[in-house]
Amino acid sequence: MNYEFFIAKRIIKAKQYKSSVSATIIKIAIAAIAIGIVMMMVAIATGMGLQKTIQEKVATFNGHIQISHFDNNNSEVSLMPLEIEQDFYPSFTQVPGVTHIQAVAIKAGIIRTEKTFEGVLAKGVGADYNWEAFEDFLTEGRFPNVSEKRENREILMSAYMARRLELKLGDTFKTLFLKEDTSEIPNERTFEIVGIYDSGFQKFDANVMLVDIRHIQRMNKWKNGEVGNFEVFIDDFGAIETKTKEVYKAISSTLDTQSVIGKFPFIFEWISLFDVNIFLIIGIIIIVGGINMITALLVLILDRTPMIGILKSLGSNDWSIRKIFLYNAAYLIGIGLLWGNILGIGLIWLQHTFGFLTFPNPEQYHTTIIPTHIEVWHILALNIGTLVLCVLMLLLPSYIITKISPVKAIKFQ
């Protein structure tokens, strides 16, 4: 029988234990562990939630991987056309993990109204465009119908752009597009707003409107089967670099690939800093929780000095005595973790369901509601890691306390 564990259980169940002088300090230590685990779970959930939200928004506008011509075009505008008839289109079966591929084309223009004007990137999309990703962004109206046999003038505009242009759902406006020969009269197109979206990502909301791709083809004097580039979507963002290389190997040698991380490195470098913040918060909280448990362990040992003297007189060594209090401390940490998990998971669920917490400066974080995302294995790793690290932090203090405590004066020889 593990008598250290047996004695630790008897101590925990004893009425004197619950009403002793150390009870208040022990409760404070348990509360500190619970609050700490809540803060760590919230830090992980909000940090990962914000990363995931930004990744999804950037991918919605650009795809995870883009396929285009080899050229030195660093702008958003499509200059050289691609034949839409490719081995990988419309189904990219050569690479596992690819969920969708769509053909698009982009042309820069200027929206002109009676009161003002704004620069715009008209993104041409066709019948293959996946509107599901935009469903969460749609605030008014509907998506443009780009599946008809004839091109139409329906467009999807951002709420940000509509406010700046003082336009609303159902309004029509003129847009000017420069020709390759800038000395010629620009192309003029009249569009009608049939839908308004708001992604919260101002970099895209300020410029991008979605139109029928046939407008771009006609203005660029492209053939019906020519597009600007292809956008590829995958099912695992974590494997984006690997999948980009696989896609590159699967396509023609005249084509190039670029991941959304390579296209917008400054965005993904910024959100990668969230990991540093998360680890820093976790490290600080674990240290604070460990110090609290060291204090509680010291109180426990001093409160049980007579018991320690009796155990020593019966032949117990220092390690056996330390194990009794380490078992006791592990129990207290477990209680703190239990309450911390209940409160933390409940708080994260409430925020995910109702979204009652918002950013005071949503334009900086590209979202209004604070997003949350946490995996089961994150919770398990957090609990196991906290328990193990706190117990390890207690080993040295328990050794020192046992050695220098007044226990030796109470030995019965």
Side-chain angles (χ1 to χ4, degrees):
M1 177 184 288
N2 188 338
Y3 87 93
E4 295 96 345
F5 184 67
F6 173 77
I7 294 174
K9 285 198 301 182
R10 294 298 296 269
I11 293 174
I12 292 168
K13 294 179 180 179
K15 292 182 179 179
Q16 295 86 349
Y17 173 81
K18 297 179 182 179
S19 59
S20 63
V21 177
S22 60
T24 302
I25 296 176
I26 290 169
K27 290 176 182 178
I28 293 173
I30 292 174
I33 293 291
I35 294 172
I37 202 72
V38 170
M39 293 179 65
M40 287 189 285
M41 289 178 66
V42 169
I44 293 174
T46 54
M48 294 194 64
L50 192 56
Q51 284 181 328
K52 187 176 177 65
T53 298
I54 294 174
Q55 289 171 357
E56 289 175 349
K57 287 187 177 183
V58 176
T60 297
F61 284 94
N62 302 276
H64 293 108
I65 304 167
Q66 291 195 348
I67 301 175
S68 60
H69 267 299
F70 269 112
D71 56 33
N72 58 356
N73 176 26
N74 293 321
S75 69
E76 296 285 340
V77 179
S78 304
L79 299 179
M80 296 179 63
L82 273 172
E83 288 291 338
I84 198 169
E85 293 183 0
Q86 302 286 343
D87 294 338
F88 54 79
Y89 182 84
S91 298
F92 207 137
T93 57
Q94 296 91 329
V95 177
V98 173
T99 58
H100 182 67
I101 182 170
Q102 57 197 26
V104 299
I106 300 176
K107 191 171 182 64
I110 298 175
I111 297 177
R112 186 182 64 184
T113 65
E114 295 180 357
K115 297 181 180 180
T116 185
F117 62 91
E118 286 286 335
V120 66
L121 290 174
K123 182 173 182 178
V125 300
D128 62 345
Y129 194 76
N130 182 17
W131 293 105
E132 290 183 6
F134 261 90
E135 287 180 352
D136 292 337
F137 303 156
L138 189 67
T139 57
E140 293 183 67
R142 58 176 175 82
F143 295 123
N145 186 356
V146 294
S147 302
E148 294 181 351
K149 293 182 179 180
R150 297 181 61 184
E151 66 184 56
N152 58 58
R153 60 180 189 173
E154 297 178 350
I155 65 104
L156 180 69
M157 178 180 283
S158 71
Y160 177 86
M161 194 183 301
R163 285 194 300 269
R164 291 181 64 88
L165 292 166
E166 299 182 14
L167 296 173
K168 62 183 183 299
L169 191 69
D171 286 352
T172 59
F173 59 90
K174 295 182 183 295
T175 306
L176 302 177
F177 297 93
L178 291 177
K179 296 181 179 179
E180 291 185 11
D181 185 356
T182 55
S183 62
E184 295 183 9
I185 298 175
N187 290 306
E188 183 178 277
R189 289 290 187 277
T190 300
F191 295 113
E192 178 187 358
I193 303 174
V194 297
I196 294 178
Y197 74 89
D198 184 7
S199 72
F201 212 114
Q202 189 170 318
K203 174 177 174 57
F204 302 117
D205 288 1
N207 301 300
V208 179
M209 73 174 185
L210 278 70
V211 305
D212 193 322
I213 194 172
R214 286 169 288 192
H215 288 291
I216 312 298
Q217 291 170 335
R218 178 173 294 186
M219 287 187 288
N220 287 346
K221 297 180 180 179
W222 292 351
K223 298 177 183 177
N224 188 36
E226 291 181 329
V227 298
N229 59 280
F230 294 94
E231 294 178 345
V232 180
F233 292 83
I234 58 176
D235 56 7
D236 182 10
F237 192 92
I240 188 170
E241 296 297 345
T242 303
K243 293 301 177 183
T244 301
K245 295 177 182 178
E246 292 180 10
V247 169
Y248 179 76
K249 293 178 181 178
I251 62 178
S252 170
S253 59
T254 61
L255 301 178
D256 190 21
T257 59
Q258 185 181 36
S259 70
V260 70
I261 296 177
K263 188 174 183 179
F264 301 101
F266 55 94
I267 294 177
F268 291 93
E269 286 174 4
W270 170 59
I271 64 176
S272 66
L273 295 177
F274 297 167
D275 294 332
V276 178
N277 296 337
I278 291 171
F279 287 122
L280 184 62
I281 291 171
I282 290 175
I284 292 173
I285 293 175
I286 287 178
I287 290 173
V288 172
I291 292 173
N292 273 283
M293 289 311 304
I294 289 171
T295 304
L297 183 66
L298 173 61
V299 172
L300 282 172
I301 291 176
L302 294 178
D303 195 37
R304 290 284 171 174
T305 299
M307 184 197 75
I308 296 173
I310 294 172
L311 291 174
K312 280 182 170 289
S313 68
L314 295 174
S316 294
N317 55 36
D318 289 343
W319 173 237
S320 293
I321 294 172
R322 285 198 296 273
K323 282 173 68 176
I324 294 172
F325 292 100
L326 288 175
Y327 282 135
N328 206 334
Y331 168 78
L332 299 178
I333 296 170
I335 295 296
L337 292 176
L338 176 62
W339 281 108
N341 278 275
I342 293 173
L343 295 174
I345 294 173
L347 182 61
I348 292 170
W349 179 82
L350 288 173
Q351 174 62 18
H352 181 77
T353 305
F354 301 104
F356 55 89
L357 296 177
T358 59
F359 285 113
N361 48 347
E363 66 282 351
Q364 181 177 350
Y365 293 97
H366 311 299
T367 182
T368 302
I369 298 173
I370 298 177
T372 57
H373 176 77
I374 192 167
E375 303 285 348
V376 175
W377 73 267
H378 292 144
I379 299 174
L380 293 175
L382 191 62
N383 281 270
I384 295 171
T386 302
L387 178 61
V388 171
L389 288 175
C390 284
V391 171
L392 289 176
M393 289 175 67
L394 293 173
L395 288 176
L396 182 60
S398 66
Y399 172 81
I400 296 173
I401 292 169
T402 306
K403 287 295 184 183
I404 67 174
S405 66
V407 169
K408 291 186 178 295
I410 310 175
K411 280 187 179 180
F412 292 99
Q413 303 294 339

